[in-house]
Amino acid sequence: MRGYYPTEIPKELTNTKTLAADVVALRQAFGGSRDSVLIAHDWGSVAVYGGAAREPDGWRRVVIMNIPPLAYWAKVMFTYPQLKREFYWWFHQMAISDVIIPMNDYEYIDGIWADWSPGYDARDDLVKAKDCMRPPGHLQATVGYYRTFFDPKKFGTPESAAEQASTWGHPLAQPVLYLHGNHDGLVPLSDEKLHNEVRPLIGPNAEAVMVSGVGHFMLVENPAAVNRYILDFIKS
């Protein structure tokens, strides 16, 4: 993902249109065929919703983890319980967050992980996550994702909503596997909501799986289970 070390620091703050364009450009740069597969998590999922929609014939399979489609966010993001979970969207708008986030060896990131993947010992993973933000300029580049998407002057306006809908608001035509952790502390979902509300919004060829015993960072919490779901789907 652009801006996270060791990738370069973008000249401008990253926005969702750029993330979607990156997905398309990477496939072209790697010489990917129509047999290509996309696998994504969190901000990567936003990029993939947009990139897969731009090139519906460019991907054989798409796997998305833990971030529901934009149409679902539109239903829940302004509810009081979800607003509390989304505090960091607004905190990152403040310049002081550039100072607070790195304090005490990025203790802020420890808290985010604990909230989103409760009960998981992330000490080994946290070192790697923090290393992606330590070099000069990279923290500002990664926080910049939030400063463009949730810009207080634009966010929630009809113009902003239309911009996001045009980027990653389209149902995907490809076969999609959506995975969600049943302990996800950022976007809590019941099995019923996952299958009845989220899955239909992803696309007509989407299937959804609630992965038991994991939270938001399922890919490191239980890689064996997650990889099994992914590989079975890709082989199908």
Side-chain angles (χ1 to χ4, degrees):
M1 299 296 287
R2 61 167 55 213
Y4 288 86
Y5 184 82
T7 63
E8 294 181 0
I9 298 172
K11 294 179 181 178
E12 298 179 352
L13 295 181
T14 299
N15 57 50
T16 53
K17 285 188 175 181
T18 303
L19 292 178
D22 283 349
V23 171
V24 173
L26 282 170
R27 190 182 76 85
Q28 294 170 351
F30 287 130
S33 69
R34 295 178 64 178
D35 216 28
S36 300
V37 174
L38 274 172
I39 304 173
H41 174 264
D42 204 276
W43 274 113
S45 297
V46 175
V48 162
Y49 280 121
R54 283 192 182 199
E55 283 196 328
D57 296 325
W59 312 95
R60 183 174 64 85
R61 293 282 189 276
V62 177
V63 180
I64 294 173
M65 288 177 270
N66 286 85
I67 295 295
L70 180 64
Y72 181 78
W73 281 106
K75 294 181 179 181
V76 302
M77 69 168 56
F78 297 121
T79 63
Y80 184 67
Q82 194 60 37
L83 282 168
K84 289 195 293 183
R85 300 183 193 103
E86 296 157 359
F87 80 93
Y88 63 100
W89 295 1
W90 326 117
F91 172 60
H92 290 173
Q93 305 305 318
M94 296 188 289
I96 191 70
S97 67
D98 291 347
V99 177
I100 293 175
I101 293 173
M103 290 174 62
N104 301 319
D105 189 32
Y106 286 82
E107 188 177 34
Y108 173 86
I109 304 299
D110 298 342
I112 290 283
W113 274 60
D115 285 345
W116 294 359
S117 285
Y120 173 65
D121 183 355
R123 70 185 74 182
D124 294 334
D125 308 295
L126 283 163
V127 173
K128 298 178 178 65
K130 294 173 182 179
D131 284 349
C132 291
M133 293 178 282
R134 293 186 197 279
H138 285 279
L139 172 61
Q140 289 71 32
T142 57
V143 172
Y145 280 56
Y146 302 93
R147 290 178 178 165
T148 55
F149 192 102
F150 306 109
D151 180 348
K153 295 180 180 178
K154 293 175 56 180
F155 187 62
T157 64
E159 294 77 16
S160 175
E163 177 184 323
Q164 295 307 320
S166 69
T167 305
W168 63 293
H170 305 282
L172 300 182
Q174 303 92 338
V176 180
L177 172 64
Y178 180 83
L179 302 175
H180 202 91
N182 71 330
H183 294 159
D184 191 320
L186 173 61
V187 193
L189 283 178
S190 65
D191 201 61
E192 180 182 5
K193 279 192 174 183
L194 173 64
H195 289 96
N196 296 340
E197 297 185 35
V198 173
R199 185 196 57 76
L201 295 172
I202 296 172
N205 299 307
E207 57 184 272
V209 175
M210 184 71 80
V211 184
S212 298
V214 296
H216 190 72
F217 298 105
M218 63 164 71
L219 62 170
V220 292
E221 293 177 69
N222 192 343
V226 172
N227 287 341
R228 186 170 63 251
Y229 284 122
I230 292 172
L231 290 172
D232 288 347
F233 174 69
I234 291 173
K235 292 174 182 176
S236 64

